[in-house]
C-alpha cells in the first residue's frame, strides 16, 4: 500500500501545480516548503510511509511546474515561426501516422529548417506534429522526410473553465505544429543512417502495415475496419455511427487498443506458452516453465505496445503487466495497488502532464475500481465447480468487475464529456468478452500468420471477422435503443464526491459486519449529498445572477458569442468552424463550455451568414441541445452545410422563423438587417458577407452590436438604417469581418461609437487579420480593442444598473497597444 500512497501523493502534487499554474520558482518554493514541513514534524524520519508521501508530493509539484515551461526553440525555428511564411523542413519520423480529428498526423524530430541544421543550434531536436488533411502519410519511424509548411508554436485556444488543449501535445513532447494538404506534399529522403530503419519502432510499423493488409484481404466491410481498430489501433475505417453505438453501450474503449486488449493478449500468450513449455519433458529439470514463459512474454508485451501505436492506456497496462511478470520471475507475487501505483508513478515521472490525459484517468480509475470492489461483489471461490456452474461464477465475477469499473468511471465521463451511458454494465457484459476473448486474440494471431503465409491465417481471421460482425450488430442495437443521457458537467469536487459515493456504496454491498456496512452507507450518503448540494448551488447561482454576460469565445479563426441573460436564458450567435473541417469548435469548445456552466437549453441560435468559420460549429449544438429557434438571413451562400443545418433543425424540432424582435427576460434582441422588402432577408446583389444577419442586444440601457462579417456595402446599409429610426450606436461592438481592411469603415465606427470593440480571430491566421489600419481607426476613436487571438475569450458583464466589466481568459491588456 505504501507504493500506492506515494503515487497518489505524487499525482496530487502534479494536480496542485497544474491547477495553480505554478511557475518553476513558485513550484520549487512550494515543494521545498512541503519537505521542510516534513522535517519540522519529524515525518520524514519517524514515519516512512507518510514521509515518503510528503517527498512524493513535493516532487510532483516540482516536476509539474517544470513540465509546464514550453521548450526553448532554436533561433532558426523561432525565426521561421515569426515569419508566418512556409519553411522548408527536413525531419526524421518518430511515430508513424495516426488518425487525427480529420486526416492523419505524423510526429517527427526536426533536423533542418530553411537549410539551417536545427541540431547545430539546439542540444535536442524540436519535435513537430505534422497534420495531413487528406490521405494517409505512410512513413515509418526512422524515415527522413522533407516538406514545406508554415511552422506554428503551440498556442491553444483559451476559454474560461476549459483546459489548455496544447497540454496533451506537450505531454507527448511535441514542441511545434505544421500542416500539409495531402501526402504528396511530403518527400521521402534517403536515410542518413540505415540502422534507424531497423529499430523496434520501424519493425513494428512494417509488421502493422503487413497485418493490416492481411486483414483487408481476408475480411470485408465494416468488420475489417473494426478488426484493424481493435487489433492494431488503426481507426481509419470507424465511422460516427459505429462510435455512437459503442458509446451508447458504454464500451468505447474496445474501439481502441486499450489496456484490456493488452491484458487479454498477455494472459493468453502467457498461459499458452506455459502449457507448451510444460509439455517439454526436460525443461522443468532446469527452469520453471512459468518463469520462462514470463521471461518470453516481456518482450512480446513491449512489441505489442509498439505494434498498436503506443497509446497511453496500453503503456499503462504494459507497465502493470511488466511488474507482474517480473514478480513471477523473482517469485514475488505483485499486489494490485502496488502494481497500479508503480505504473502510474512511472508514467507521471516521464511526463507529469499525462495526468490531464482523459484516457489515462479513465484507465487508472477503472483498474482501481476493479481492484477495490470487484472481489467484494463477486462470488466466493468455488474450486469444485464444473461446467455451467463454473461459467456462472465467471460471468458473475465479470459482471462485478464491469459494475465496479462503471461506477468509478461514469462520474469521470460526465465530467469530461457531459454524458452518461446507463446501459454500460450490460453493454460491457455483452461486448467486452466477445472482443477481448475472440476478436482480439484470433484477429491478432490470424493477421500475424496471414502476413507471412495467407493460408495459415485464413481460419482465425474468419473467426475474428464473424465475431466482429456480431459485435458491430450488438453495438448497433445499443445505439438504436440504449439512451445516452446528456448532463451538466460536474466540477472536480463533485466528480470526486460522486466517485467516493459509488465506491462506498458498492463496498457496503459485500459481506461486511453490520456496523461497518452502516458506516460505509452513511459515508456514501454524505458524499452523494455533497455532490448534489454543490450542483444545486451552482445552478441556483446561475439562475439568480442578475447580470448580462456576453462571452466572445476563442474558437480560432471564426466567430462564436454566447449571451447569458439574467434568470438563466441563453443565446448563441455563430458557432465558429474550420474551412477544412479538421477542427469542430462545437464539440471542442462550445458544448463543454455550455455544459460546464449548466446551460442545457438555448432560447436562440443565430447564424450571421453561412461561411464555414461561422456555421460549422453549430451542427454539434443543434444535435446535442434543445434549441427554441434558429435565425438566419435566409442566404444559403451556395454552401451545402447550410442545408444540412436546416435539416438538422427540422429533425430536432427547432423553429425556423423569420428574425423579428425578441425578448428573453429583461434582454431585448433586435435584428437590424439585412432587409428585403419589409422583412429580414438577403437582398439580391449583396455578397454573402454583406448579407450577414445583424443583431442588436439591449439590456439595462447598454447595447451590444453583432454585425457578422459585414464589409463596405453591408456597413453602408447598416449605417443608413439610422434614417428610418433604427439605433446603431452601441457600447460594445463585435468588430465585423475579423478586422479585415474591407470592413470597419470610418462611417461605421462613427455611427456605432463603441466603448469596447472585440475582434474574434485566430492566432497568426493566414488572412493576416486584423489589418493595422483598422486597429488604428478604432484606437483613434477612443475604443478599447480586445482580441480573442491575443487575449483569449473575452467576457463582458453588464449589471442591472448598466455597469460594464470586462475579463479575458489570458488577461486583458490595460490599454490598447499601438497599431
Amino acid at each position: 500500500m505504501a507504493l500506492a500512497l506515494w503515487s497518489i501523493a505524487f499525482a496530487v502534487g502534479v494536480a496542485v501545480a497544474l491547477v495553480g499554474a505554478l511557475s518553476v520558482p513558485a513550484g520549487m518554493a512550494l515543494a521545498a516548503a512541503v519537505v521542510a514541513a516534513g522535517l519540522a514534524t519529524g515525518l520524514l524520519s519517524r514515519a516512512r510511509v507518510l514521509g515518503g508521501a510528503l517527498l512524493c508530493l513535493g516532487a510532483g509539484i516540482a516536476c509539474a511546474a517544470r513540465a509546464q515551461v514550453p521548450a526553448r526553440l532554436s533561433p532558426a525555428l523561432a525565426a521561421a515561426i515569426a515569419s508566418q511564411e512556409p519553411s522548408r523542413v527536413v525531419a526524421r519520423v518518430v511515430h508513424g501516422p495516426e488518425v487525427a480529428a480529420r486526416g492523419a498526423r505524423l510526429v517527427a524530430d526536426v533536423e533542418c529548417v530553411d537549410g539551417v541544421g536545427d541540431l547545430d543550434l539546439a542540444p535536442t531536436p524540436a519535435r513537430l506534429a505534422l497534420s495531413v488533411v487528406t490521405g494517409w502519410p505512410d512513413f515509418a519511424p526512422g524515415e527522413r522526410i522533407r516538406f514545406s509548411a508554415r511552422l506554428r508554436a503551440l498556442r491553444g485556444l483559451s476559454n474560461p473553465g476549459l483546459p489548455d488543449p496544447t497540454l496533451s501535445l506537450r505531454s507527448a513532447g511535441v514542441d511545434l505544429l505544421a500542416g500539409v494538404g495531402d501526402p504528396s506534399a511530403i518527400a521521402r529522403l534517403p536515410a542518413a543512417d540505415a540502422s534507424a530503419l531497423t529499430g523496434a519502432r520501424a519493425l513494428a510499423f512494417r509488421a502493422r502495415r503487413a497485418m493490416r493488409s492481411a486483414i483487408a484481404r481476408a475480411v470485408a466491410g465494416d468488420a475489417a475496419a473494426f478488426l484493424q481498430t481493435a487489433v492494431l489501433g488503426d481507426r481509419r475505417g470507424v465511422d460516427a455511427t459505429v462510435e455512437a453505438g459503442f458509446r451508447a453501450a458504454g464500451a468505447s474503449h474496445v474501439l481502441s487498443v486499450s489496456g484490456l486488449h493488452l491484458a487479454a493478449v498477455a494472459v493468453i500468450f502467457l498461459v499458452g506458452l506455459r502449457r507448451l513449455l510444460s509439455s517439454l519433458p526436460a525443461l522443468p529439470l532446469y527452469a520453471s516453465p512459468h518463469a520462462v514463459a514470463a521471461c518470453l512474454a516481456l518482450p512480446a508485451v513491449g512489441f505489442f505496445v509498439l505494434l498498436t501505436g503506443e497509446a497511453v492506456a496500453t503503456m499503462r497496462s504494459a507497465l502493470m503487466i511488466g511488474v507482474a511478470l517480473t514478480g513471477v520471475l523473482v517469485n514475488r507475487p505483485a499486489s494490485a495497488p502496488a502494481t497500479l501505483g508503480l505504473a502510474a508513478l512511472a508514467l507521471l515521472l516521464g511526463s507529469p502532464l499525462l495526468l490531464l490525459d482523459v484516457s489515462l484517468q479513465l484507465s487508472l480509475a477503472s483498474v482501481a475500481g476493479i481492484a477495490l470492489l470487484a472481489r467484494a461483489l463477486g462470488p466466493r471461490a468455488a474450486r469444485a465447480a464444473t461446467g455451467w456452474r463454473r461459467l456462472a461464477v465467471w460471468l458473475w465475477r465479470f459482471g462485478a468487475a464491469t459494475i465496479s469499473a462503471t461506477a468509478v468511471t461514469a462520474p469521470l465521463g460526465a465530467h469530461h464529456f457531459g454524458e452518461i451511458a446507463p446501459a454500460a454494465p450490460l453493454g460491457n457484459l455483452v461486448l467486452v468478452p466477445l472482443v477481448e476473448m475472440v476478436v482480439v486474440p484470433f484477429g491478432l494471431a490470424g493477421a500475424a500468420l496471414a502476413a507471412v503465409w495467407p493460408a495459415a491465417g485464413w481460419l482465425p481471421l474468419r473467426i475474428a471477422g464473424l465475431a466482429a460482425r456480431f459485435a458491430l450488430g450488438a453495438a448497433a442495437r445499443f445505439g438504436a435503443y440504449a439512451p445516452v443521457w446528456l448532463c451538466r458537467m460536474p466540477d472536480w469536487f463533485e466528480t470526486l464526491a460522486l466517485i467516493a459515493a459509488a465506491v462506498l456504496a458498492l463496498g457496503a454491498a459485500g459481506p461486511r459486519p453490520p456496523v461497518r456496512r452502516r458506516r460505509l452507507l452513511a459515508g456514501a450518503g454524505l458524499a452523494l449529498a455533497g455532490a448534489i448540494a454543490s450542483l444545486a448551488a451552482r445552478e441556483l447561482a446561475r439562475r439568480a445572477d442578475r447580470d448580462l454576460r456576453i462571452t466572445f469565445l476563442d474558437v480560432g479563426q471564426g466567430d462564436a458569442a454566447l449571451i447569458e441573460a439574467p434568470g438563466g436564458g441563453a443565446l448563441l450567435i455563430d458557432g465558429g468552424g474550420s474551412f477544412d473541417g479538421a477542427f469542430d469548435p462545437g464539440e471542442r469548445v462550445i458544448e463543454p463550455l455550455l455544459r460546464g456552466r449548466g446551460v442545457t437549453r438555448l432560447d436562440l441560435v443565430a447564424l450571421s451568414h453561412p461561411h464555414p468559420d461561422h456555421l460549422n460549429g453549430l451542427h454539434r449544438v443543434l444535435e446535442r441541445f434543445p434549441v427554441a429557434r434558429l435565425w438566419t438571413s435566409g442566404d444559403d451562400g451556395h454552401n451545402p452545410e447550410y442545408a444540412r443545418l436546416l435539416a438538422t433543425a427540422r429533425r430536432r424540432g427547432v423553429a425556423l422563423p423569420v428574425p423579428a424582435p425578441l425578448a428573453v427576460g429583461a434582454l431585448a434582441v433586435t435584428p437590424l438587417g439585412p432587409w428585403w422588402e419589409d422583412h429580414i432577408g438577403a437582398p439580391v446583389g449583396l455578397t454573402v458577407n454583406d448579407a450577414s444577419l445583424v443583431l442588436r442586444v439591449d439590456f439595462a440601457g447598454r447595447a451590444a452590436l453583432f454585425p457578422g462579417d459585414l464589409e463596405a456595402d453591408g456597413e453602408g446599409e447598416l449605417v443608413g438604417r439610422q434614417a428610418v429610426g433604427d439605433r446603431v450606436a452601441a457600447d460594445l461592438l463585435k468588430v465585423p469581418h475579423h478586422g479585415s481592411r474591407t470592413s470597419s469603415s470610418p462611417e461605421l465606427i462613427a455611427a456605432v461609437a463603441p466603448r469596447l470593440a472585440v475582434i474574434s480571430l485566430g492566432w497568426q491566421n493566414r488572412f493576416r487579420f486584423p489589418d493595422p489600419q483598422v486597429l488604428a481607426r478604432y484606437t483613434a476613436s477612443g475604443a478599447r480593442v480586445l482580441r480573442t487571438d491575443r487575449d483569449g475569450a473575452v467576457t463582458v458583464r453588464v449589471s442591472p444598473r448598466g455597469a460594464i466589466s470586462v475579463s479575458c481568459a489570458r488577461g486583458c491588456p490595460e490599454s490598447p497597444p499601438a497599431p
Side-chain angles (χ1 to χ4, degrees), residues 241-261:
T241 304
V242 172
E243 289 188 356
F246 280 93
R247 189 171 65 249
S252 297
H253 54 280
V254 305
L255 287 176
S256 59
V257 181
S258 64
L260 196 58
H261 287 29

PDB file of all heavy atoms in Angstrom, residues 241-261:
ATOM      1  N   THR A 241     -21.332   6.468 -36.857  1.00  0.00           N
ATOM      2  CA  THR A 241     -22.448   5.614 -36.442  1.00  0.00           C
ATOM      3  C   THR A 241     -21.961   4.469 -35.559  1.00  0.00           C
ATOM      4  O   THR A 241     -22.579   4.132 -34.545  1.00  0.00           O
ATOM      5  CB  THR A 241     -23.165   5.051 -37.674  1.00  0.00           C
ATOM      6  OG1 THR A 241     -23.585   6.142 -38.502  1.00  0.00           O
ATOM      7  CG2 THR A 241     -24.376   4.236 -37.274  1.00  0.00           C
ATOM      8  N   VAL A 242     -20.842   3.864 -35.939  1.00  0.00           N
ATOM      9  CA  VAL A 242     -20.273   2.784 -35.134  1.00  0.00           C
ATOM     10  C   VAL A 242     -19.845   3.310 -33.771  1.00  0.00           C
ATOM     11  O   VAL A 242     -20.114   2.694 -32.732  1.00  0.00           O
ATOM     12  CB  VAL A 242     -19.089   2.138 -35.876  1.00  0.00           C
ATOM     13  CG1 VAL A 242     -18.364   1.148 -34.972  1.00  0.00           C
ATOM     14  CG2 VAL A 242     -19.571   1.440 -37.145  1.00  0.00           C
ATOM     15  N   GLU A 243     -19.188   4.451 -33.758  1.00  0.00           N
ATOM     16  CA  GLU A 243     -18.755   5.041 -32.491  1.00  0.00           C
ATOM     17  C   GLU A 243     -19.944   5.341 -31.593  1.00  0.00           C
ATOM     18  O   GLU A 243     -19.885   5.128 -30.376  1.00  0.00           O
ATOM     19  CB  GLU A 243     -17.953   6.311 -32.752  1.00  0.00           C
ATOM     20  CG  GLU A 243     -16.576   6.057 -33.345  1.00  0.00           C
ATOM     21  CD  GLU A 243     -15.745   7.315 -33.415  1.00  0.00           C
ATOM     22  OE1 GLU A 243     -16.278   8.393 -33.078  1.00  0.00           O
ATOM     23  OE2 GLU A 243     -14.571   7.234 -33.799  1.00  0.00           O
ATOM     24  N   ALA A 244     -21.047   5.827 -32.173  1.00  0.00           N
ATOM     25  CA  ALA A 244     -22.235   6.144 -31.379  1.00  0.00           C
ATOM     26  C   ALA A 244     -22.810   4.886 -30.736  1.00  0.00           C
ATOM     27  O   ALA A 244     -23.257   4.909 -29.582  1.00  0.00           O
ATOM     28  CB  ALA A 244     -23.285   6.824 -32.250  1.00  0.00           C
ATOM     29  N   GLY A 245     -22.802   3.761 -31.465  1.00  0.00           N
ATOM     30  CA  GLY A 245     -23.310   2.520 -30.899  1.00  0.00           C
ATOM     31  C   GLY A 245     -22.484   2.039 -29.720  1.00  0.00           C
ATOM     32  O   GLY A 245     -23.031   1.652 -28.675  1.00  0.00           O
ATOM     33  N   PHE A 246     -21.166   2.041 -29.860  1.00  0.00           N
ATOM     34  CA  PHE A 246     -20.311   1.610 -28.755  1.00  0.00           C
ATOM     35  C   PHE A 246     -20.371   2.596 -27.586  1.00  0.00           C
ATOM     36  O   PHE A 246     -20.252   2.185 -26.425  1.00  0.00           O
ATOM     37  CB  PHE A 246     -18.875   1.434 -29.238  1.00  0.00           C
ATOM     38  CG  PHE A 246     -18.637   0.139 -29.962  1.00  0.00           C
ATOM     39  CD1 PHE A 246     -18.749   0.067 -31.343  1.00  0.00           C
ATOM     40  CD2 PHE A 246     -18.326  -1.011 -29.269  1.00  0.00           C
ATOM     41  CE1 PHE A 246     -18.549  -1.124 -32.016  1.00  0.00           C
ATOM     42  CE2 PHE A 246     -18.117  -2.214 -29.926  1.00  0.00           C
ATOM     43  CZ  PHE A 246     -18.233  -2.274 -31.306  1.00  0.00           C
ATOM     44  N   ARG A 247     -20.574   3.887 -27.889  1.00  0.00           N
ATOM     45  CA  ARG A 247     -20.702   4.857 -26.797  1.00  0.00           C
ATOM     46  C   ARG A 247     -21.983   4.612 -26.016  1.00  0.00           C
ATOM     47  O   ARG A 247     -21.989   4.688 -24.780  1.00  0.00           O
ATOM     48  CB  ARG A 247     -20.688   6.278 -27.362  1.00  0.00           C
ATOM     49  CG  ARG A 247     -20.601   7.358 -26.279  1.00  0.00           C
ATOM     50  CD  ARG A 247     -20.368   8.735 -26.849  1.00  0.00           C
ATOM     51  NE  ARG A 247     -21.483   9.199 -27.654  1.00  0.00           N
ATOM     52  CZ  ARG A 247     -21.456   9.363 -28.962  1.00  0.00           C
ATOM     53  NH1 ARG A 247     -20.356   9.069 -29.643  1.00  0.00           N
ATOM     54  NH2 ARG A 247     -22.508   9.798 -29.632  1.00  0.00           N
ATOM     55  N   ALA A 248     -23.073   4.307 -26.703  1.00  0.00           N
ATOM     56  CA  ALA A 248     -24.323   4.012 -26.002  1.00  0.00           C
ATOM     57  C   ALA A 248     -24.202   2.745 -25.162  1.00  0.00           C
ATOM     58  O   ALA A 248     -24.844   2.622 -24.106  1.00  0.00           O
ATOM     59  CB  ALA A 248     -25.466   3.859 -27.007  1.00  0.00           C
ATOM     60  N   ALA A 249     -23.348   1.813 -25.599  1.00  0.00           N
ATOM     61  CA  ALA A 249     -23.127   0.581 -24.839  1.00  0.00           C
ATOM     62  C   ALA A 249     -22.094   0.778 -23.734  1.00  0.00           C
ATOM     63  O   ALA A 249     -21.822  -0.171 -22.986  1.00  0.00           O
ATOM     64  CB  ALA A 249     -22.676  -0.533 -25.774  1.00  0.00           C
ATOM     65  N   GLY A 250     -21.534   1.976 -23.621  1.00  0.00           N
ATOM     66  CA  GLY A 250     -20.514   2.222 -22.608  1.00  0.00           C
ATOM     67  C   GLY A 250     -19.242   1.453 -22.863  1.00  0.00           C
ATOM     68  O   GLY A 250     -18.477   1.169 -21.933  1.00  0.00           O
ATOM     69  N   ALA A 251     -18.980   1.098 -24.118  1.00  0.00           N
ATOM     70  CA  ALA A 251     -17.828   0.257 -24.455  1.00  0.00           C
ATOM     71  C   ALA A 251     -16.955   0.909 -25.513  1.00  0.00           C
ATOM     72  O   ALA A 251     -16.377   0.229 -26.362  1.00  0.00           O
ATOM     73  CB  ALA A 251     -18.304  -1.108 -24.935  1.00  0.00           C
ATOM     74  N   SER A 252     -16.829   2.220 -25.460  1.00  0.00           N
ATOM     75  CA  SER A 252     -15.992   2.919 -26.444  1.00  0.00           C
ATOM     76  C   SER A 252     -14.548   2.460 -26.386  1.00  0.00           C
ATOM     77  O   SER A 252     -13.813   2.563 -27.375  1.00  0.00           O
ATOM     78  CB  SER A 252     -16.065   4.430 -26.217  1.00  0.00           C
ATOM     79  OG  SER A 252     -17.372   4.912 -26.423  1.00  0.00           O
ATOM     80  N   HIS A 253     -14.110   1.966 -25.227  1.00  0.00           N
ATOM     81  CA  HIS A 253     -12.710   1.578 -25.087  1.00  0.00           C
ATOM     82  C   HIS A 253     -12.336   0.400 -25.982  1.00  0.00           C
ATOM     83  O   HIS A 253     -11.148   0.215 -26.274  1.00  0.00           O
ATOM     84  CB  HIS A 253     -12.407   1.228 -23.624  1.00  0.00           C
ATOM     85  CG  HIS A 253     -13.305   0.194 -23.042  1.00  0.00           C
ATOM     86  ND1 HIS A 253     -14.574   0.500 -22.594  1.00  0.00           N
ATOM     87  CD2 HIS A 253     -13.155  -1.120 -22.824  1.00  0.00           C
ATOM     88  CE1 HIS A 253     -15.148  -0.599 -22.133  1.00  0.00           C
ATOM     89  NE2 HIS A 253     -14.307  -1.588 -22.257  1.00  0.00           N
ATOM     90  N   VAL A 254     -13.306  -0.404 -26.431  1.00  0.00           N
ATOM     91  CA  VAL A 254     -12.947  -1.520 -27.295  1.00  0.00           C
ATOM     92  C   VAL A 254     -12.654  -1.054 -28.722  1.00  0.00           C
ATOM     93  O   VAL A 254     -12.156  -1.845 -29.533  1.00  0.00           O
ATOM     94  CB  VAL A 254     -14.045  -2.605 -27.310  1.00  0.00           C
ATOM     95  CG1 VAL A 254     -14.367  -3.072 -25.921  1.00  0.00           C
ATOM     96  CG2 VAL A 254     -15.293  -2.144 -28.038  1.00  0.00           C
ATOM     97  N   LEU A 255     -12.947   0.210 -29.038  1.00  0.00           N
ATOM     98  CA  LEU A 255     -12.637   0.739 -30.361  1.00  0.00           C
ATOM     99  C   LEU A 255     -11.198   1.218 -30.461  1.00  0.00           C
ATOM    100  O   LEU A 255     -10.787   1.743 -31.492  1.00  0.00           O
ATOM    101  CB  LEU A 255     -13.580   1.898 -30.705  1.00  0.00           C
ATOM    102  CG  LEU A 255     -15.014   1.505 -31.044  1.00  0.00           C
ATOM    103  CD1 LEU A 255     -15.865   2.729 -31.264  1.00  0.00           C
ATOM    104  CD2 LEU A 255     -15.042   0.602 -32.272  1.00  0.00           C
ATOM    105  N   SER A 256     -10.452   1.093 -29.416  1.00  0.00           N
ATOM    106  CA  SER A 256      -9.030   1.414 -29.445  1.00  0.00           C
ATOM    107  C   SER A 256      -8.300   0.281 -28.743  1.00  0.00           C
ATOM    108  O   SER A 256      -8.909  -0.556 -28.076  1.00  0.00           O
ATOM    109  CB  SER A 256      -8.753   2.750 -28.751  1.00  0.00           C
ATOM    110  OG  SER A 256      -9.180   2.690 -27.406  1.00  0.00           O
ATOM    111  N   VAL A 257      -6.989   0.275 -28.901  1.00  0.00           N
ATOM    112  CA  VAL A 257      -6.210  -0.767 -28.232  1.00  0.00           C
ATOM    113  C   VAL A 257      -6.024  -0.326 -26.786  1.00  0.00           C
ATOM    114  O   VAL A 257      -5.055   0.331 -26.423  1.00  0.00           O
ATOM    115  CB  VAL A 257      -4.869  -0.981 -28.939  1.00  0.00           C
ATOM    116  CG1 VAL A 257      -4.081  -2.084 -28.244  1.00  0.00           C
ATOM    117  CG2 VAL A 257      -5.112  -1.372 -30.391  1.00  0.00           C
ATOM    118  N   SER A 258      -6.994  -0.681 -25.967  1.00  0.00           N
ATOM    119  CA  SER A 258      -6.960  -0.288 -24.567  1.00  0.00           C
ATOM    120  C   SER A 258      -6.070  -1.240 -23.776  1.00  0.00           C
ATOM    121  O   SER A 258      -5.597  -2.263 -24.279  1.00  0.00           O
ATOM    122  CB  SER A 258      -8.377  -0.298 -23.988  1.00  0.00           C
ATOM    123  OG  SER A 258      -8.891  -1.614 -23.999  1.00  0.00           O
ATOM    124  N   GLY A 259      -5.873  -0.915 -22.514  1.00  0.00           N
ATOM    125  CA  GLY A 259      -5.088  -1.789 -21.653  1.00  0.00           C
ATOM    126  C   GLY A 259      -5.713  -3.162 -21.514  1.00  0.00           C
ATOM    127  O   GLY A 259      -5.009  -4.167 -21.333  1.00  0.00           O
ATOM    128  N   LEU A 260      -7.054  -3.221 -21.630  1.00  0.00           N
ATOM    129  CA  LEU A 260      -7.730  -4.508 -21.522  1.00  0.00           C
ATOM    130  C   LEU A 260      -7.346  -5.428 -22.671  1.00  0.00           C
ATOM    131  O   LEU A 260      -7.206  -6.646 -22.496  1.00  0.00           O
ATOM    132  CB  LEU A 260      -9.245  -4.280 -21.495  1.00  0.00           C
ATOM    133  CG  LEU A 260     -10.119  -5.437 -21.020  1.00  0.00           C
ATOM    134  CD1 LEU A 260      -9.735  -5.860 -19.615  1.00  0.00           C
ATOM    135  CD2 LEU A 260     -11.588  -5.034 -21.068  1.00  0.00           C
ATOM    136  N   HIS A 261      -7.164  -4.857 -23.871  1.00  0.00           N
ATOM    137  CA  HIS A 261      -6.713  -5.658 -25.007  1.00  0.00           C
ATOM    138  C   HIS A 261      -5.363  -6.300 -24.696  1.00  0.00           C
ATOM    139  O   HIS A 261      -5.158  -7.498 -24.910  1.00  0.00           O
ATOM    140  CB  HIS A 261      -6.556  -4.779 -26.253  1.00  0.00           C
ATOM    141  CG  HIS A 261      -7.847  -4.348 -26.862  1.00  0.00           C
ATOM    142  ND1 HIS A 261      -8.995  -4.175 -26.146  1.00  0.00           N
ATOM    143  CD2 HIS A 261      -8.169  -4.038 -28.141  1.00  0.00           C
ATOM    144  CE1 HIS A 261      -9.965  -3.773 -26.947  1.00  0.00           C
ATOM    145  NE2 HIS A 261      -9.481  -3.691 -28.169  1.00  0.00           N
TER     146      HIS A 261
END
